[in-house]
Each structure stands twice: as C-alpha cells, then as structure tokens.
Amino acid sequence: MNTNQKKFDLIITDFIRKNLLLFFIVGISILALVIRNEFRGWLSGDMIQHLVPWAEYLEAHGGFAGIASGPPYCDYPVTYQYMLAFLTYLPGSYLAKLKVVSVFFDFVNAGLAMLIVRQAGAYSKKSFIPWLAYALALLIPTPILNSAAWGQSDAIYTAFLLASLYLLMREKFPRAFIAFGFAISIKLQAVFFFPVLLLLYLKNRNFSLLNFLIIPAVIAALSLPALIIGKPPVEVFSVYLGQMEMYSETTMNFPNLYSLLPNIYWQFAVPGVLLTLALLLTFYFVVLKTDRAELSGWTLVEVSLLTILICAYTLPAMHQRYLFTGDLLAVIYLFARKERAYIPLVIWLVSVSGYLIYLYGFEPVVEQPILALAYLWVMVLIARDIVSRPLDSPPSPKEGGAG
C-alpha cells in the first residue's frame, strides 16, 4: 500500500470511527423503516372493518366537520378522530397514511426510551448505551407488528405515557400530568399508568395534589373542538364507558390469568377487577412501608412496568395489544436489570403470541396457559426485586449531609 492510499484509508476510517454513533443511529433507523415497509400492504381486520371506514366517513362528511355526526360505531376518543380527520386532507391511501402515523410514533417511543435510559442511568450525552435502547425499541416484534402490520394506535398513546414517565423522573410534574392527559385522551388503556401517579404522590411527596386536576383539564380542552363542531357531549365522553362495556370475552388472544380459567365473562369480570385493585393495593402498601427503595430512576421504571403487567394480567377483556406500553418499558428495564435479561424476553414472547394469532392465524409454539404461568413468574420476580433488591435507595444518614 503506497503512502497516498494509506492516508486516504486513514481519513476514511478516522471519519467513520469519529462518527460511529451517528452511523449506528442512521443505520438502525433506516433498517427499522425498511423492515416496517415490508408490512405496508397487510390489511388487518381492524383496518378493514373500522379504521379505514371511519376515515372514509369523515372524508365524505367534510373532514373535521364529519366528527359532529360520526364516525358511526367509533369507540375511539375524539382526539384520535381529529387525527383521522386531518388525514382526509392529505394525499395517499388511508392504509398508508394510518400506518405512517403509527410508525412515526414508533420512532418517538424509541427516542423516549433512549432518554429514559440516559436519565435513569445518569449516562452522558456521548454514551452509546442509551442508543442501544433506541435500537432495541425499534426492533422488538410488537411495535413492528402493531404499527406496520396492524396499523393500530398503541404507539401514539404510549409515546405520551413514556413522555410522562420521563418528565416525572426530571420532576417536571405539571408537564408530566399534561402528557398523561394526552395519553388517556387517545386511548383508555393509558389509565393503567394512573396508579403510578398516585403512588408517586404518596411516596415522594414532592408535588401538589392539584396536579391531578390537570388530567381532566387536558381531556376537556381536547374535547372542546369536537363540542364546538357540534358533536353531542354524551358521544364525546361516553366513548370511555363504551370501551369498558363492549367486550364479553375474558381474554382476547392474550395469555393472562383468564387463559387458566373458563371463558365465563359474567362470572369472572367483577372478581377480576377487584383482584387487580387488591394486588395493586398490596404492592403499593409494601412500597410505601419500606424505606429501602426510593421511587425514582430505575425503581420508578420497575414500578411502572409491574403496575402495567398486573393490570393486563388480571383485568378481564384484555386484548393482546394492551401490553404494548409494557413491551417498551421492558426495553428500558433490560438496562436496569441486566442480570434479568430473560424477563423482557418472556414479556415480548407473551405479547407477540397474541399478535400472531390475530394477524396471521398462527398458533404459537408455546401454549397460552404456559405463557400465562411464565407471565405470573415474571411479575413475582420483578416485585421481589423492587422490595428486596431496590436499584435506587435513599441516602443513608452518613451520605445525606448535615444531621
């Protein structure tokens, strides 16, 4: 190799090595987009029966003006309907436009996962480790299938929940409650995160109870345009109750507690709700009584993950999609408990099994009752770690400064 060739190679390799993180981020982002593009033509049942017809109805009735009278049988809040109405003014098929929105929020979620890992782990902005969370959040199967194949909206409300969690970590409490208000205005399942807000208020005692008033204020503000357009108030707000009452199956392709029980909704629905409250009450009671764990950083991530896992496991009428936020929190959890790498793997396996049944009619290799038992085992391990091996502990008297 002559001298000029060696200098040229050194320039190339030095440039790549100096910008290696940037190349990694761009490369992963492009690959994640290409993977999602392979699912662009897949039509899910929800897309055929609900999402596209809703958008077509709004287009036929004047876009935003159509919200006043419909869409018919739409069980999504008006905040989501605003998005559908906006899409009616853009070129392209509704299949493509709906999926583009969801995929966009996949990248938002990946960015938020990176920020949460950086914040909880106290990594510098130059560290590459938080960007591994970004990559993993884009490559686990459920966001790909949910957004690119199914075209569903779970990535949208989850982005606001992750934003709320990140802002709670930074003690930006009003903004955190605003983000949560947006999340619940998009999908009722965001309520799974609400108990975390209550626990944080009782445990840390570093923000006002008045912050909780921000949540209904955000919901009211986001509902106001629909009311001005002429949508009846009962239709604006009854959608939340409608989501709670529309299903009569104990579980829908989701391996939780009800995979181990007969499918008798009227028998198990109320006991399931009460069991959920009892488990959360017991778990939160222990967290409040113990002084070993501080509800911040990694511990806040673990508590948020376990709260959502409990809700999805014991509440009746759960879809496979309702653990979506938990799937992304499991990405963050992996960086908190590296020795527990198998826990996120089990969570992702539990989630994706239901997706494959719904989207492709593919029965998973592992039967759902077995996955339900593995799910239970994961929750027990996480709870034990939070109580007996907390990652964030309050400073001891010697570390805490003046006495």
Side-chain angles (χ1 to χ4, degrees):
M1 183 182 296
N2 59 46
T3 303
N4 290 335
Q5 182 65 43
K6 189 173 182 180
K7 287 182 179 178
F8 176 78
D9 288 331
L10 285 173
I11 292 171
I12 295 295
T13 54
D14 284 348
F15 176 76
I16 293 174
R17 288 174 67 88
K18 287 178 181 177
N19 297 279
L20 193 58
L21 180 58
L22 177 61
F23 279 106
F24 172 74
I25 296 167
V26 172
I28 286 294
S29 300
I30 292 173
L31 289 171
L33 273 176
V34 172
I35 291 170
R36 284 162 170 78
N37 186 57
E38 292 300 309
F39 295 90
R40 66 188 182 278
W42 186 262
L43 272 168
S44 67
D46 281 353
M47 190 69 73
I48 295 170
Q49 298 168 22
H50 304 296
L51 304 180
V52 170
W54 292 343
E56 289 174 342
Y57 176 91
L58 292 175
E59 181 181 10
H61 291 79
F64 282 100
I67 293 174
S69 58
Y73 310 109
C74 181
D75 59 344
Y76 282 27
V78 291
T79 309
Y80 184 79
Q81 295 176 36
Y82 299 151
M83 184 204 75
L84 290 178
F86 175 74
L87 294 180
T88 65
Y89 300 96
L90 300 179
S93 70
Y94 287 117
L95 176 66
K97 290 186 285 189
L98 285 163
K99 290 187 175 185
V100 165
V101 171
S102 296
V103 167
F104 169 78
F105 278 95
D106 279 347
F107 283 84
V108 173
N109 285 324
L112 287 165
M114 181 276 295
L115 290 173
I116 292 170
V117 169
R118 179 189 287 171
Q119 178 72 22
Y123 292 105
S124 71
K125 290 186 177 181
K126 293 182 179 180
S127 175
F128 69 90
I129 292 177
W131 288 102
L132 297 178
Y134 171 86
L136 193 57
L138 288 173
L139 297 177
I140 60 174
T142 46
I144 295 172
L145 293 175
N146 189 291
S147 297
W150 204 326
Q152 265 293 350
S153 61
D154 300 274
I156 304 174
Y157 82 84
T158 292
F160 289 101
L161 288 184
L162 292 183
S164 181
L165 177 60
Y166 175 65
L167 291 165
L168 288 172
M169 286 181 169
R170 298 190 60 197
E171 299 188 348
K172 307 289 185 181
F173 298 115
R175 297 179 191 176
F177 278 85
I178 290 172
F180 178 77
F182 269 89
I184 203 167
S185 294
I186 295 166
K187 205 72 185 291
L188 179 62
Q189 284 69 43
V191 77
F192 294 171
F193 188 71
F194 182 74
V196 177
L197 300 176
L198 290 174
L199 178 63
L200 197 64
Y201 170 73
L202 295 171
K203 179 74 173 177
N204 290 1
R205 297 187 291 182
N206 58 351
F207 62 87
S208 171
L209 184 64
L210 296 176
N211 282 284
F212 285 91
L213 296 178
I214 294 174
I215 300 170
V218 170
I219 295 172
L222 291 172
S223 302
L224 190 59
L227 296 172
I228 293 172
I229 290 169
K231 196 173 188 69
V234 66
E235 292 185 18
V236 172
F237 298 107
S238 64
V239 67
Y240 295 103
L241 292 175
Q243 287 187 13
M244 294 170 62
E245 298 172 351
M246 69 181 301
Y247 301 111
S248 58
E249 302 288 324
T250 55
T251 182
M252 283 159 280
N253 298 325
F254 184 58
N256 61 7
L257 172 65
Y258 301 95
S259 298
L260 308 172
L261 298 171
N263 184 20
I264 308 174
Y265 183 85
W266 63 265
Q267 178 67 78
F268 295 110
V270 173
V273 173
L274 297 176
L275 176 62
T276 304
L277 294 174
L279 289 175
L280 288 175
L281 180 61
T282 303
F283 171 46
Y284 285 9
F285 172 76
V286 174
V287 171
L288 288 169
K289 290 295 288 184
T290 182
D291 293 325
R292 298 184 63 183
E294 182 178 335
L295 198 54
S296 63
W298 293 127
T299 302
L300 183 56
V301 170
E302 287 185 293
V303 168
S304 301
L305 173 59
L306 183 55
T307 298
I308 289 172
L309 288 173
I310 290 172
C311 290
Y313 191 78
T314 54
L315 286 173
M318 291 292 100
H319 284 254
Q320 59 281 87
R321 294 186 290 107
Y322 292 178
L323 194 55
F324 186 89
T325 304
D327 294 336
L328 286 163
L329 287 174
V331 170
I332 302 165
Y333 173 89
L334 180 61
F335 293 83
R337 300 273 187 186
K338 300 177 183 65
E339 74 282 6
R340 299 279 200 203
Y342 51 87
I343 285 182
L345 292 175
V346 171
I347 292 172
W348 300 329
L349 178 61
V350 165
S351 277
V352 78
S353 67
Y355 279 72
L356 296 176
I357 294 172
Y358 175 80
L359 289 171
Y360 304 108
F362 177 80
E363 292 291 337
V365 176
V366 183
E367 294 184 358
Q368 292 213 342
I370 296 174
L371 289 173
L373 292 173
Y375 186 164
L376 178 61
W377 171 66
V378 158
M379 290 194 296
V380 170
L381 288 179
I382 295 174
R384 188 181 69 178
D385 286 343
I386 291 171
V387 175
S388 63
R389 300 194 306 133
L391 292 168
D392 299 282
S393 301
S396 65
K398 290 183 180 179
E399 297 170 336

